[in-house]
Amino acid sequence: MDKHYKALELDKILNMLSKEATCEDAAVMALELKPSASLKRVNFLLKQTDDAYILSGRFGTPSFGGAKNITNALSRARAGACLTTTELLRIAETLRIIRSLRQWKSNSAGVETSLDNLFSGLCANKFLEDKITSCIIAEDEFADNASPVLYDIRRKIRTASSKAREVLDKIIHSTNFQKYLQDSIVTQRDGRYVVPVKAECRGNVPGLVHDSSSSGATVFIEPMGVVQANNDIRILKSKEDAEIERILFELSAAAGTYADSIIGSYENLMELNLIFAKANLSYKMKASMPVMNDKGIIDLKQARHPLIDKDSVVATDIRLGEDFDTLMITGPNTGGKTVTLKTIGLFTLMAMCGLMVPCADNSRLSVFKTVLADIGDEQSIEQSLSTFSAHMTNITKIMKTADESSLVLIDELGAGTDPVEGAALAVAILEFLRNKGAKIASTTHYPELKEFALQTDGVENGCCEFDVATLKPTYRLLIGMPGKSNAFAISKRLGMRDEVIARAKELVSSENREFESVVQTLEARRQSLEKQLANAQKLTAKANTEKQKAENELRKSKEQAKKEIELAKAQAQKIIDKTVSQAESLMEELDKARKEKEMSSADKSKLRRDIKKMEATADPVTTKSKDDGYILPRPLKIGDSVLIYDIDKKATVLTLPDRDNTVQVQAGIIKTRVPVSNLRLIKQENIKKPVFSNKRNVRSAVDIHPATEIDVRGQYPEEAIMAVDSAIDSAILSNINQITVIHGKGTGVLRTEIGKHLKNHRAVKSYRLGVFGEGESGVTIIELK
């Protein structure tokens, strides 16, 4: 691997990628990835990774099953060679994986991606796969039904073996021979059935000696009675081996016929495994796809170095190449300067390899023909190179290679020698590289380089923030602000004597003190403005949230009002229709009475009842008799101000009570008859709502007409829970024992939150999801106590 890539630790990222690949060849491909300098190629690679990332999120990562390399075996089969059972089983396994991948892709049909060509290049061959697996059970086992000939041979072997064992069983169980046997068992030697006989008794058991034990105490004799059976078995075994070899040749020839197709599919399989390995690594890094360019512009948002522990890494913003082509990063040691350099270089190389990078969306990166880095101490005793010499050797090579399409990263430029000469040399190197058009990021402690950045167009200062109070870096990169080494503050915090620090400050030149003072003042102002900006953003976010909430409430109120108006119109139309019908019926009765000129007392009573019934129907106000113990302080008089108790409405008495103890009152523009028991006398000059016992004196439309269903679809969980509580209260007051909450299926959030709330609700006896015909899991049925 290129040493510049290794200095930026690309090899570690590729090693992480290889571990995500499940196939050996794909893992090797991951380790051998090379950054591409073509913008078109890089965008295509990133699109493939992003498509795999999306497909994995929607349908799960496909299984590649650890497919083995079968290219060599197929090439040999195509040339007419006979493959082993292991090679054929690997071919069958690869075909199975290819078939399962095609099936996985078919489940995501309709989603067009840049991976479609690779998936369409996977050619399943169920015929060859089944043929191999039906013949070969395991690496050392063939199926009996691999061929009719093999089945017949094995049947004959079993028959001959059975005959031989019968003879041997008679011998080992015979009282005549048992005393000569070492053990009453049947075993095999060289594929022939034998019995273990004591060495001194071998003459007593007629047969052929095939072997003896290591101690010489036992000889293994093949009795004469089974010699022919063993000979038959041996011949059949030879035929079996020949038939198996013939089958292997046949299977190999079939595999060779499809070799080109399978090899092409295998190569596509490895490409897909590598791409989905990139997607899996992106999920683990919580990475996103950067926007690529070839103009040298880098704009990273919330970048997190992937090799630092995710629980401790600090996200930072980094810019380079748009407003300025050179970034000088300063700050204390261990403050994150080198990590920033490596982040720039590593993210660039990762993107050029088609890898997503761990940063916020819409971050920008550029492709470069060369990424050159001088990071770390490369002093060499063998080559007599000091730290400074090693750095200068690398930088000299970088200066020869760099051009307008190069990214140059240099750590501690000019360090390791006399500060004055080192600073001057560093400025000269930067000017040379800038004249070549390279994009540069460098770290330094030299104040001369800070001044160079302040005085030179296209060069920008940056610093790694450091908290002097805690002596800990924050690892945030601040662009536009030169940093301080904070040597005095750190030394004092670590116990250095005050007089030593004071003397050291005296030795610092007045120019340096003034410069550091300006930097300190700027830093203090920056922190103050940053806090103010954070507070302003917080207030703005809160105001936007409140505004959105108010708009939602207004919209819902308008929708509810519209629904109520439509419902009222519908109810009013029903009342009108019913009243017109009753009025027509009464008119017919009156016409009939006018013709007859006389009415019986029963007909008159019926007519009066019908008229009152029509009045009650036409009355839009639903009244209920209340017996709360209230007694009028005096009889009602015409003109009294009263409160209609059940609807909490002020009215004026128009008539005195009739025989049914009802009076006519006027509430606004509506005249209606109300029972005296439903009226409360109030004073004209001080209208108050009387409080009686524990009952409510204000009723909503929900109270008057309680619903047995409530629809909370589209509401936030908090709003839905409040609506459910209101519906439960109304149902309890109306003696309704069961209500239905319609929350829809959706993501299940509303169902879950409502269930949690009902679990501990003191008015709920039980609750359950609906069944078929009730709405299933889209509704919850609540039974009240």
Side-chain angles (χ1 to χ4, degrees):
M1 175 177 283
D2 187 294
K3 72 172 187 176
H4 298 290
Y5 299 167
K6 198 165 185 178
L8 295 170
E9 301 178 301
L10 177 63
D11 57 321
K12 295 181 180 178
I13 298 297
L14 296 183
N15 187 53
M16 293 169 61
L17 176 62
S18 69
K19 293 179 180 178
E20 295 298 323
T22 58
C23 303
E24 291 180 5
D25 284 5
V28 172
M29 291 167 62
L31 293 173
E32 294 175 350
L33 274 180
K34 295 289 188 294
S36 172
S38 167
L39 178 61
K40 183 177 180 180
R41 174 65 177 168
V42 169
N43 279 330
F44 177 71
L45 292 175
L46 285 171
K47 184 67 169 63
Q48 285 185 324
T49 304
D50 188 52
D51 287 342
Y53 184 91
I54 294 171
L55 288 173
S56 295
R58 291 184 60 182
F59 306 104
T61 304
S63 172
F64 292 86
K68 304 292 185 181
N69 191 329
I70 55 173
T71 305
N72 182 50
L74 286 167
S75 299
R76 287 172 39 239
R78 184 171 50 194
C82 179
L83 303 183
T84 65
T85 55
T86 300
E87 291 171 328
L88 288 168
L89 285 175
R90 286 181 177 177
I91 293 172
E93 177 64 13
T94 300
L95 291 173
R96 185 196 63 78
I97 294 170
I98 291 171
R99 181 168 51 82
S100 68
L101 271 180
R102 287 185 61 87
Q103 179 64 35
W104 181 88
K105 186 62 176 70
S106 67
N107 293 335
S108 59
V111 181
E112 294 186 4
T113 69
S114 58
L115 304 177
D116 289 349
N117 286 336
L118 290 174
F119 276 109
S120 61
L122 296 175
C123 299
N125 193 330
K126 190 75 164 57
F127 165 75
L128 181 59
E129 177 191 345
D130 289 343
K131 189 171 183 180
I132 293 173
T133 53
S134 64
C135 291
I136 306 174
I137 298 174
E139 292 183 3
D140 57 351
E141 185 179 0
F142 255 76
D144 290 350
N145 56 359
S147 74
V149 174
L150 182 63
Y151 181 85
D152 185 59
I153 291 171
R154 287 187 171 175
R155 180 183 59 78
K156 291 178 179 179
I157 289 174
R158 286 192 293 271
T159 301
S161 298
S162 178
K163 290 180 179 178
R165 289 195 66 90
E166 286 179 4
V167 174
L168 293 172
D169 282 342
K170 289 179 181 178
I171 292 174
I172 64 176
H173 291 101
S174 170
T175 54
N176 295 329
F177 288 101
Q178 277 187 348
K179 56 187 175 181
Y180 307 128
L181 302 178
Q182 195 71 264
D183 292 297
S184 297
I185 60 171
V186 176
T187 184
Q188 283 188 326
R189 285 294 184 273
D190 298 328
R192 301 178 75 88
Y193 288 104
V194 295
V195 291
V197 180
K198 297 175 183 178
E200 63 273 16
C201 302
R202 61 186 177 188
N204 300 104
V205 179
L208 304 176
V209 177
H210 285 278
D211 197 4
S212 63
S213 64
S214 57
S215 63
T218 304
V219 292
F220 297 93
I221 296 177
E222 177 185 7
M224 295 305 295
V226 296
V227 170
Q228 185 58 43
N230 278 335
N231 289 339
D232 293 342
I233 292 172
R234 178 66 64 89
I235 293 171
L236 291 170
K237 285 285 187 182
S238 298
K239 290 182 179 180
E240 179 187 31
D241 293 340
E243 179 62 15
I244 288 175
E245 186 175 1
R246 187 196 66 79
I247 295 171
L248 286 174
F249 267 108
E250 182 181 325
L251 294 175
S252 300
T257 303
Y258 303 105
D260 292 338
S261 170
I262 300 173
I263 290 173
S265 297
Y266 177 77
E267 291 172 352
N268 284 3
L269 185 68
M270 293 303 102
E271 285 285 343
L272 287 168
N273 190 207
L274 178 59
I275 293 169
F276 277 94
K278 292 179 181 179
N280 290 343
L281 186 62
S282 299
Y283 271 107
K284 288 188 176 181
M285 289 183 177
K286 297 182 179 178
S288 64
M289 186 173 76
V291 179
M292 299 302 296
N293 66 86
D294 56 0
K295 299 177 181 178
I297 298 173
I298 296 173
D299 183 8
L300 296 174
K301 302 172 183 177
Q302 297 296 301
R304 307 175 304 280
H305 196 288
L307 298 177
I308 300 176
D309 183 77
K310 63 181 180 180
D311 295 327
S312 58
V313 67
V314 176
T316 188
D317 297 342
I318 306 172
R319 291 184 292 113
L320 175 65
E322 189 169 21
D323 303 325
F324 49 89
D325 57 36
T326 303
L327 177 63
M328 294 301 306
I329 305 173
T330 53
N333 290 325
T334 70
K337 301 189 302 297
T338 304
V339 171
T340 301
L341 278 188
K342 288 188 174 182
T343 300
I344 297 172
L346 182 58
F347 275 37
T348 299
L349 294 175
M350 287 174 64
M352 290 166 64
C353 288
L355 290 166
M356 298 165 75
V357 293
C359 59
D361 292 337
N362 298 319
S363 293
R364 292 185 290 171
L365 283 168
S366 175
V367 294
F368 295 94
K369 288 184 180 178
T370 53
V371 177
L372 308 169
D374 177 53
I375 298 174
D377 186 358
E378 297 188 14
Q379 63 178 326
S380 171
I381 295 176
E382 291 84 356
Q383 299 179 17
S384 300
L385 293 177
S386 65
T387 300
F388 176 74
S389 299
H391 281 303
M392 285 303 105
T393 300
N394 279 341
I395 291 172
T396 301
K397 294 177 181 178
I398 288 173
M399 292 169 68
K400 290 179 181 178
T401 308
D403 56 21
E404 68 278 358
S405 60
S406 297
L407 173 64
V408 179
L409 307 169
I410 304 176
D411 191 23
E412 300 292 353
L413 179 59
T417 188
D418 178 76
V420 175
E421 293 181 356
L425 186 60
V427 171
I429 291 170
L430 291 175
E431 289 177 343
F432 179 85
L433 292 172
R434 291 191 69 216
N435 289 335
K436 280 202 159 189
K439 300 297 183 289
I440 310 162
S442 177
T443 66
T444 186
H445 286 287
Y446 292 145
E448 291 86 351
L449 291 179
K450 302 176 189 178
E451 294 176 11
F452 171 73
L454 290 172
Q455 297 169 0
T456 308
D457 291 337
V459 183
E460 189 64 83
N461 270 309
C463 70
C464 291
E465 192 178 44
F466 187 84
D467 189 343
V468 179
T470 61
L471 284 183
K472 292 182 179 179
T474 64
Y475 302 107
R476 293 176 57 216
L477 178 66
L478 307 176
I479 294 179
M481 176 70 63
K484 293 177 60 180
S485 296
N486 295 296
F488 295 153
I490 294 173
S491 300
K492 183 176 181 179
R493 186 66 183 268
L494 295 175
M496 182 68 71
R497 296 175 67 89
D498 291 341
E499 58 267 25
V500 175
I501 293 175
R503 176 57 180 159
K505 289 181 178 179
E506 291 174 1
L507 294 174
V508 177
S509 65
S510 60
E511 291 84 357
N512 274 343
R513 286 199 298 271
E514 291 173 1
F515 180 76
E516 293 292 336
S517 176
V518 170
V519 171
Q520 190 171 357
T521 302
L522 288 174
E523 175 64 11
R525 290 180 179 176
R526 183 199 63 78
Q527 291 181 357
S528 176
L529 289 173
E530 195 173 70
K531 289 180 180 178
Q532 293 177 22
L533 178 61
N535 288 334
Q537 290 174 340
K538 186 177 180 181
L539 292 173
T540 302
K542 185 177 180 181
N544 289 336
T545 302
E546 294 295 334
K547 178 184 176 183
Q548 186 65 37
K549 186 176 179 181
E551 289 176 352
N552 291 338
E553 291 293 337
L554 179 60
R555 176 179 55 79
K556 289 177 182 178
S557 298
K558 288 181 178 179
E559 291 176 355
Q560 185 64 27
K562 185 177 179 180
K563 289 179 182 178
E564 291 293 341
I565 290 172
E566 293 297 331
L567 180 62
K569 286 180 179 179
Q571 291 177 343
Q573 187 61 47
K574 288 181 181 179
I575 292 172
I576 291 170
D577 294 342
K578 190 171 183 179
T579 304
V580 168
S581 176
Q582 291 177 343
E584 289 174 351
S585 177
L586 287 173
M587 288 298 296
E588 290 177 1
E589 291 184 17
L590 288 173
D591 289 341
K592 182 180 178 181
R594 191 179 296 111
K595 290 176 182 178
E596 294 178 355
K597 295 183 180 181
E598 290 185 4
M599 291 181 68
S600 64
S601 58
D603 291 337
K604 290 179 180 179
S605 298
K606 181 177 183 299
L607 184 60
R608 281 196 295 270
R609 287 196 303 272
D610 289 344
I611 291 172
K612 286 186 178 181
K613 183 178 180 182
M614 184 182 69
E615 288 179 348
T617 302
D619 188 353
V621 180
T622 302
T623 61
K624 294 183 180 180
S625 177
K626 294 292 180 180
D627 184 14
D628 55 3
Y630 176 79
I631 300 176
L632 289 169
R634 61 174 175 78
L636 294 175
K637 297 185 296 185
I638 296 174
D640 280 342
S641 293
V642 293
L643 186 73
I644 304 175
Y645 176 66
D646 59 356
I647 62 171
D648 191 33
K649 206 72 175 176
K650 179 187 173 186
T652 303
V653 176
L654 299 180
T655 64
L656 294 176
D658 59 11
R659 289 182 303 174
D660 296 328
N661 204 26
T662 62
V663 297
Q664 187 177 33
V665 298
Q666 182 168 355
I669 62 172
I670 297 176
K671 292 181 180 180
T672 184
R673 301 193 71 83
V674 182
V676 173
S677 61
N678 196 32
L679 297 176
R680 306 291 184 265
L681 187 62
I682 57 177
K683 294 182 180 179
Q684 183 68 26
E685 64 276 7
N686 186 21
I687 301 175
K688 291 185 179 180
K689 298 178 183 179
V691 179
F692 304 101
S693 67
N694 294 323
K695 299 185 178 179
R696 297 172 62 189
N697 58 0
V698 179
R699 297 296 177 94
S700 66
V702 178
D703 293 325
I704 298 171
H705 301 290
T708 59
E709 278 188 357
I710 176 171
D711 190 345
V712 296
R713 289 176 291 185
Q715 298 184 13
Y716 291 107
E718 295 80 7
E719 297 172 331
I721 289 172
M722 292 175 63
V724 171
D725 282 343
S726 177
I728 291 174
D729 291 343
S730 300
I732 291 173
L733 292 172
S734 303
N735 292 324
I736 293 175
N737 296 325
Q738 180 176 294
I739 60 174
T740 301
V741 179
I742 304 173
H743 44 63
K745 296 179 181 178
T747 61
V749 173
L750 273 181
R751 178 176 69 245
T752 302
E753 294 299 323
I754 290 173
K756 289 180 181 178
H757 180 66
L758 296 175
K759 185 176 182 180
N760 300 314
H761 199 294
R762 62 184 181 182
V764 175
K765 181 178 180 182
S766 64
Y767 66 94
R768 61 176 175 82
L769 294 178
V771 296
F772 182 79
E774 294 179 328
E776 301 178 4
S777 61
V779 302
T780 295
I781 312 297
I782 304 173
E783 185 177 351
L784 303 175
K785 295 180 181 178

